[in-house]
Amino acid sequence: MKKKIGLYLSAILAVLCLTGIDAEAKKPEITRYDAQYLDTQVSVNLQWQSSEAVVLVRVAAGSEVKEIKIDPYDNKKTRSGYTGEVNAVLETGVLEDQESIPYTIQVEDEDGQKSNLVSGKVLIPRGRAKRDHDQWGKEKLEGTSQSGQKDMIEQLRQVTSVLAAPPVILDVTVNNPSRGTVSFKTKATHSVGMREINFRILDAQGRQVDSQQISATGKLWEGTSKDFTLSPGSYSVIAQAVDAGGSTSRESKASFAIAGAATPVQPPSPPVTPPATPPSPLVTPPVTPPVTPPVIPPVTPPVIPPVTPPVGPGMEVNTDRPGLDYRSFDLPAADPNLCRNACAGEANCKAFTYVRPGVQGPNARCWLKSSVPNPVSSNCCVSGVKTTPPIVEPPIAEEGTLIFDNGNIAAVDNNPSRPTVFTINVPHRITYVQNYHWNSAKGSAPGKISFRHADGWVFGPWQTAGYPGQGGVPNAYWRVAPKVEIPAGTYTVLDSEPQTWSHNGANQNTGMTRVLGVALQAPPPPPPPVVPPMPITQADLIGKTWQFGRGDGSVIAQKIKLLSNGRIEGYAHPNESRWGIEGNTLIFYHESGKPATRYESFTRESGLWVIRGPFLLGTGTVHVLKEVPATQQGLPSIGEPVIYTNGNIAGVQNNPTRETTFTIDAAHRVTYINTYHYFNNGKLPGTIALRHGNGTMYGPWQSAGALGQGGVLNAYWFVRPNVEMKPGIYTVIDSDRATWSQNSGSSGAGFVEIRGIKTGTPVPSIRELLTGTDLKGLRNWTIQEWMQLSARRGEVTEDPDGIRFRSETGNTRMGIMQTINADVSGAQKLILKAVVKAVEQRLDGTGWQGREAPVALFVTYTDINGQVRKGLGSMANPPESQADRMFWHGFYYADPTGNSQNWNGAKVNRGSWYTYEMDLMSLNPKPKTIHAVGAEGSGWSVREGKIQSISLKYYGNASGR
């Protein structure tokens, strides 16, 4: 039996070793690493070798973990794969008398292959260790590592399982939630070992208000967090365990509420020595030794003068209501009525506390509350609760019927992009109007609503009252009962605060409104049906192909023809044995000679005939003949010059996200327009119009259809307006926006091509495309890190003479950026200008890849061939593709040495301001759309550069988007 066990163990060991060897051949490898302790930080430097580019580095030191995303372009290509280097700095606390900090490193490539974990220890210089008081909750620690030798099987098991299963955490329980101090208990396990347990506390709005991280080095942790002191309100707690490899457990959540108030939010009254009472038992951390408090001599509280002004009704004398404050301010006089009046004048105020002079300063102070906190007896204060008459909603059901409602239950955004419009065909008395202002669950103080008639008359504005919305959001609904009579017509709803007015895609991004009223006269009766004479000739009936179907949309025969001898070709049935014409009616006859269907309705839909009539041998059935279009052709050949086009060959989506606009600098005769409707297998042609910036409308013109890519019918709509148009900015109006094609290459605007002939004299156009060009306060500029938006300032600081980019650690890329998405297809010149200074650099030239400098400018754009250029391909050997390379130009003072180059750079004098100017229209191919402009510092530390100003000026005659 023992021999068999030995054989089994040998077989398992062989399989593990072979599997490991095969896996190792594909894994990235950490070839060199070291670490240093810098005060409270650990700095880890590593290099790697990999068959695929490394994209992620994980470093853990002590209780801290950092993940660093690596740009594939920052991997250096070699014959055997890729190499690279990175430096990571982690903040870490240490315990008293701790001699070293352990760390682990792992890298991951583009295919998700992870290297083996490597580990080490960094020594802490003597005298640097600090005491770590975060020892709460370590009542039970089991499974900690023991010294001793492990056998081979155990070592292999640990290596293969260290990143396998995540930790497991049980449900978190809340201790003593009814009082202001609360703690949390849970239990977590992991087969290899955990690094930490995290508790996070969130308020009712989901904001984190407190947290605790507990170091946990064993396989089992069970215990309690520290005590958290919280204000009254609703909260939730999230507990999560993290193992040694950085994997996390599920989030264990619990909700709780803190009722009452432990202490007032306002500063307390002067201290008074309390009477001697037996002390309450307190739980103190085991690491804190008992401290004998100093003897504090009794302090006689100041004498607070009585309130001189008379106190109004409803005032709570010698009462404080601490907490739930949303603002406070000093009062000009010691009068609590001033505080009460301030509360009465603000919609958000529900209660107030007046604090007497001498308590929180020499002046009296007023605290306004967003809700009603519990009262506390105190001679410092006078409080009160706002009393308002109950809000009674207008009697909607009794006084009106629904006129218009575009609300829905889907998620909403603020600031509608389209007007809210409704039409009434007779005069009405408007009895009720409601606008929705959810405003990210904050609501908004009620404003005013008015109606504007299409002729320009304005009815209102009417002051609204606020009502709670979904989830109790205050002032989410603005309601008013105008009781005003308005004439028939089309109206636009106006809201005094559109920036908080709700809308969504389900209502076509119009402001959410509900209108009720009473019609003042009956609507006019519909005109009697007019039976027109049959407008189609017998020759037209014979010469066309028809689809034969029913009124419900079902098809009886896809194609039939009406022959000149009265026969019906393509379908045979006793009910349709032959056809003929009687007066103005087309008739299909039964084989008995009786009329079977009488076609009396003749209409044209999208340029094609549709003929309808009742089936006389059945009940309620309608038969329909639809003209089948002849084979469609592609777009016609047009010789006139292109005025504006934004189409491209990339994939498309429906429903443009922005308006399609273009500019002409002189009068033109527009001879041809086409729009694109590809995504839904084409769309029957509608209308196209152009609207001038001053509101003048040209069109709409009925379009014809043409084949699109892949033979899609009616993918193109085209018109030939042949109309004179004055200079200005125009918006293209397509009658079916929902199927109009767009993509990122058109910046979300609907595809259009406009051709014509210039008939007037051009008006030159010069304009600045950037805002905040002096960089003061970085107005309209964002911080970017590795060309991506960053939430931290990092290396970017503002000095009196400009913006500074300085790095003292590692290889980084950080700066500022402004996104403009500007169409420059009509530019004659496009001048980029900046004032820069190179102060310090360690890596000379522009680095060995031609993309690193103390200060540099960059521009991302789409060229006239449709290529999006936002990359930074290396120019080193072997060079990477430059097809998507952005414009990047660096400034340096140190001549390149060794592998460094001066590609894409300009040498400047160290410490001196340098003015740089470049015409971006000299690029080949030229830019069509400028997406973003920015400046940065990049490369190995130490480096420093500055920029004082940056501008981008457009010189041209026409532009669009």
Side-chain angles (χ1 to χ4, degrees):
M1 185 64 183
K2 292 183 178 179
K3 289 183 178 181
K4 288 184 178 181
I5 293 174
L7 289 173
Y8 290 151
L9 291 175
S10 299
I12 293 171
L13 180 59
V15 171
L16 288 173
C17 291
L18 290 173
T19 304
I21 291 169
D22 182 63
E24 297 246 356
K26 301 178 183 178
K27 291 180 178 179
E29 179 185 359
I30 298 173
T31 56
R32 188 190 68 79
Y33 60 95
D34 58 36
Q36 296 182 13
Y37 181 81
L38 307 172
D39 196 9
T40 62
Q41 298 176 330
V42 172
S43 175
V44 179
N45 181 271
L46 66 141
Q47 297 177 353
W48 62 81
Q49 170 72 41
S50 178
S51 57
E52 301 295 335
V54 166
V55 296
L56 187 66
V57 175
R58 295 186 184 89
V59 183
S63 61
E64 296 298 314
V65 178
K66 177 177 283 190
E67 288 193 352
I68 303 172
K69 293 183 178 179
I70 305 298
D71 188 335
Y73 291 120
D74 287 335
N75 287 256
K76 182 179 179 182
K77 180 69 174 176
T78 66
R79 291 186 178 181
S80 59
Y82 295 85
T83 63
E85 182 178 1
V86 75
N87 190 80
V89 178
L90 292 84
E91 294 283 347
T92 180
V94 297
L95 298 174
E96 187 175 2
D97 300 328
Q98 186 173 344
E99 297 179 353
S100 63
I101 298 176
Y103 63 90
T104 58
I105 312 169
Q106 187 177 53
V107 298
E108 182 177 331
D109 66 18
E110 287 182 309
D111 292 339
Q113 290 285 331
K114 300 176 182 177
S115 71
N116 289 334
L117 281 171
V118 298
S119 59
K121 292 183 179 180
V122 59
L123 296 178
I124 302 172
R126 295 180 62 84
R128 294 291 185 92
K130 300 179 181 179
R131 177 170 295 277
D132 186 352
H133 292 285
D134 192 10
Q135 299 296 314
W136 292 93
K138 294 191 175 179
E139 291 101 309
K140 296 183 180 180
L141 284 174
E142 298 177 13
T144 55
S145 300
Q146 302 295 324
S147 60
Q149 193 70 24
K150 298 181 177 68
D151 60 30
M152 178 63 75
I153 294 296
E154 178 62 13
Q155 292 183 35
L156 287 171
R157 186 192 66 77
Q158 290 191 359
V159 170
T160 57
S161 65
V162 68
L163 294 177
V168 175
I169 193 166
L170 302 185
D171 290 342
V172 63
T173 57
V174 183
N175 299 326
N176 301 318
S178 59
R179 57 187 179 90
T181 301
V182 66
S183 62
F184 313 100
K185 184 175 182 180
T186 189
K187 181 178 181 180
T189 63
H190 188 251
S191 59
V192 176
M194 289 174 294
R195 189 181 69 233
E196 64 196 41
I197 306 294
N198 294 314
F199 292 92
R200 292 183 293 129
I201 303 176
L202 312 179
D203 63 17
Q205 285 72 44
R207 298 186 295 260
Q208 181 169 313
V209 298
D210 209 343
S211 64
Q212 183 186 14
Q213 183 182 92
I214 300 174
S215 299
T217 58
K219 299 180 181 179
L220 171 67
W221 185 90
E222 181 178 6
T224 305
S225 72
K226 72 177 183 180
D227 287 342
F228 297 88
T229 300
L230 303 172
S231 301
S234 297
Y235 297 87
S236 60
V237 61
I238 299 175
Q240 193 171 40
V242 183
D243 68 18
S247 297
T248 57
S249 71
R250 70 178 179 92
E251 292 185 341
S252 179
K253 300 180 181 179
S255 299
F256 62 97
I258 300 296
T263 55
V265 171
Q266 295 90 355
S269 302
V272 178
T273 303
T277 57
S280 301
L282 299 176
V283 178
T284 58
V287 296
T288 305
V291 179
T292 303
V295 178
I296 302 174
V299 178
T300 303
V303 178
I304 298 174
V307 178
T308 303
V311 176
M315 293 281 201
E316 302 168 342
V317 180
N318 294 333
T319 302
D320 184 12
R321 286 185 177 269
L324 303 177
D325 310 292
Y326 70 89
R327 78 183 188 98
S328 66
F329 49 90
D330 286 344
L331 294 171
D335 185 353
N337 295 296
L338 298 176
C339 191
R340 180 187 62 180
N341 294 342
C343 181
E346 297 191 16
N348 290 336
C349 186
K350 301 297 184 291
F352 65 90
T353 291
Y354 163 86
V355 182
R356 293 185 171 97
V359 177
Q360 296 179 344
N363 299 323
R365 192 161 184 84
C366 179
W367 296 79
L368 303 184
K369 321 281 182 175
S370 60
S371 188
V372 181
N374 293 329
V376 175
S377 177
S378 174
N379 62 357
C380 69
C381 307
V382 177
S383 298
V385 177
K386 180 194 283 186
T387 57
T388 56
I391 299 173
V392 180
E393 296 191 7
I396 298 172
E398 298 177 0
E399 295 196 29
T401 57
L402 184 65
I403 296 174
F404 176 77
D405 187 354
N406 66 346
N408 56 74
I409 62 173
V412 295
D413 294 318
N414 287 349
N415 205 0
S417 59
R418 299 180 61 194
T420 300
V421 178
F422 69 92
T423 300
I424 51 176
N425 57 6
V426 297
H428 275 69
R429 183 174 70 253
I430 302 300
T431 59
Y432 176 83
V433 184
Q434 169 186 286
N435 283 5
Y436 193 43
H437 289 254
W438 194 71
N439 191 22
S440 301
K442 295 180 290 189
S444 187
K448 297 180 179 181
I449 300 175
S450 55
F451 293 166
R452 184 178 65 218
H453 191 275
D455 291 338
W457 308 336
V458 175
F459 294 84
W462 307 295
Q463 178 61 51
T464 64
Y467 289 74
Q470 182 179 359
V473 173
N475 298 316
Y477 290 108
W478 293 7
R479 294 174 181 164
V480 64
K483 311 294 186 188
V484 65
E485 296 181 2
I486 63 175
T490 298
Y491 289 85
T492 300
V493 181
L494 305 178
D495 187 293
S496 64
E497 194 175 281
Q499 63 269 27
T500 64
W501 197 4
S502 299
H503 72 95
N504 58 24
N507 77 346
Q508 305 299 315
N509 298 310
T510 58
M512 290 188 171
T513 295
R514 180 177 172 87
V515 182
L516 286 89
V518 178
L520 300 181
Q521 67 183 56
V530 177
V531 180
M534 189 172 72
I536 187 170
T537 66
Q538 182 172 346
D540 285 337
L541 286 170
I542 294 171
K544 298 182 183 298
T545 302
W546 304 91
Q547 181 192 78
F548 178 36
R550 302 180 183 88
D552 61 4
S554 59
V555 176
I556 301 172
Q558 286 288 353
K559 292 183 180 180
I560 66 171
K561 291 187 72 69
L562 308 182
L563 303 182
S564 59
N565 60 6
R567 290 180 54 241
I568 299 174
E569 183 180 77
Y571 180 68
H573 191 276
N575 292 335
E576 290 81 30
S577 66
R578 63 185 182 90
W579 69 279
I581 296 176
E582 296 181 4
N584 63 352
T585 304
L586 168 67
I587 299 178
F588 279 10
Y589 294 96
H590 185 265
E591 63 182 3
S592 65
K594 295 181 179 181
T597 302
R598 299 180 65 89
Y599 294 95
E600 299 171 340
S601 169
F602 299 82
T603 59
R604 293 181 73 87
E605 297 180 7
S606 300
L608 301 175
W609 284 107
V610 179
I611 308 174
R612 297 178 176 86
F615 177 55
L616 305 177
L617 306 181
T619 303
T621 301
V622 174
H623 281 170
V624 181
L625 294 175
K626 292 185 178 181
E627 180 184 351
V628 177
T631 303
Q632 198 171 68
Q633 304 297 318
L635 285 172
S637 177
I638 305 298
E640 290 85 354
V642 173
I643 297 174
Y644 175 70
T645 182
N646 64 350
N648 56 74
I649 63 173
V652 297
Q653 296 176 317
N654 285 347
N655 203 2
T657 59
R658 61 186 298 180
E659 299 294 340
T660 301
T661 63
F662 68 97
T663 302
I664 53 176
D665 56 2
H668 279 68
R669 184 171 74 253
V670 175
T671 60
Y672 172 84
I673 306 171
N674 77 55
T675 59
Y676 197 44
H677 294 254
Y678 174 82
F679 196 70
N680 288 96
N681 293 319
K683 181 70 176 179
L684 288 176
T687 61
I688 301 173
L690 301 176
R691 185 179 65 227
H692 191 275
N694 65 6
T696 303
M697 185 71 76
Y698 295 82
W701 303 288
Q702 176 61 50
S703 65
L707 292 176
Q709 182 179 356
V712 173
L713 289 173
N714 299 312
Y716 288 104
W717 296 2
F718 68 92
V719 296
R720 296 176 179 271
N722 200 34
V723 62
E724 290 283 339
M725 299 177 61
K726 57 189 175 184
I729 300 174
Y730 286 84
T731 301
V732 183
I733 310 296
D734 187 291
S735 64
D736 196 343
R737 187 183 183 96
T739 65
W740 196 4
S741 298
Q742 55 91 9
N743 63 17
S744 59
S746 68
S747 299
F751 280 16
V752 70
E753 180 181 321
I754 302 171
R755 291 176 178 262
I757 299 171
K758 182 182 293 185
T759 58
T761 303
V763 179
S765 173
I766 303 174
R767 66 181 187 274
E768 174 62 57
L769 300 183
L770 300 177
T771 57
T773 57
D774 60 0
L775 306 180
K776 299 296 185 184
L778 289 178
R779 300 183 307 274
N780 298 314
W781 294 88
T782 57
I783 306 298
Q784 59 87 13
E785 189 169 7
W786 296 99
M787 306 300 177
Q788 301 295 322
L789 294 181
S790 174
R792 66 186 191 93
R793 280 255 175 166
E795 305 167 5
V796 181
T797 56
E798 184 174 3
D799 291 344
D801 61 342
I803 303 301
R804 175 160 54 98
F805 311 132
R806 180 174 178 85
S807 173
E808 297 182 353
T809 304
N811 181 11
T812 60
R813 182 180 299 275
M814 200 164 188
I816 58 175
M817 181 170 68
Q818 187 173 134
T819 301
I820 59 175
N821 288 323
D823 177 10
V824 296
S825 56
Q828 298 170 357
K829 293 191 300 181
L830 192 61
I831 304 301
L832 176 67
K833 185 175 181 180
V835 180
V836 299
K837 180 194 293 186
V839 179
E840 187 172 0
Q841 69 180 118
R842 170 190 169 193
L843 184 66
D844 45 33
T846 56
W848 65 278
Q849 295 179 320
R851 59 184 187 189
E852 298 167 301
V855 59
L857 305 175
F858 66 86
V859 180
T860 63
Y861 62 98
T862 297
D863 65 28
I864 57 176
N865 296 329
Q867 174 67 53
V868 178
R869 294 179 172 267
K870 59 179 181 180
L872 267 180
S874 170
M875 299 181 68
N877 189 23
E880 298 170 358
S881 171
Q882 304 295 303
D884 68 340
R885 185 179 178 90
M886 69 177 72
F887 172 80
W888 186 94
H889 194 83
F891 304 93
Y892 64 92
Y893 64 81
D895 288 324
T897 60
N899 291 330
S900 293
Q901 308 292 334
N902 59 3
W903 298 322
N904 306 309
K907 184 177 179 180
V908 298
N909 293 327
R910 181 178 185 179
S912 299
W913 289 107
Y914 175 78
T915 300
Y916 173 77
E917 191 170 303
M918 164 72 176
D919 184 1
L920 296 181
M921 297 309 290
S922 64
L923 297 174
N924 186 21
K926 299 177 189 283
K928 176 184 176 183
T929 303
I930 301 296
H931 298 303
V933 178
E936 67 173 15
S938 54
W940 286 98
S941 57
V942 172
R943 57 165 173 75
E944 181 178 330
K946 286 191 171 185
I947 182 167
Q948 195 172 74
S949 64
I950 181 171
S951 70
L952 182 62
K953 284 192 175 178
Y954 171 98
Y955 299 80
N957 294 325
S959 66
R961 66 171 186 262

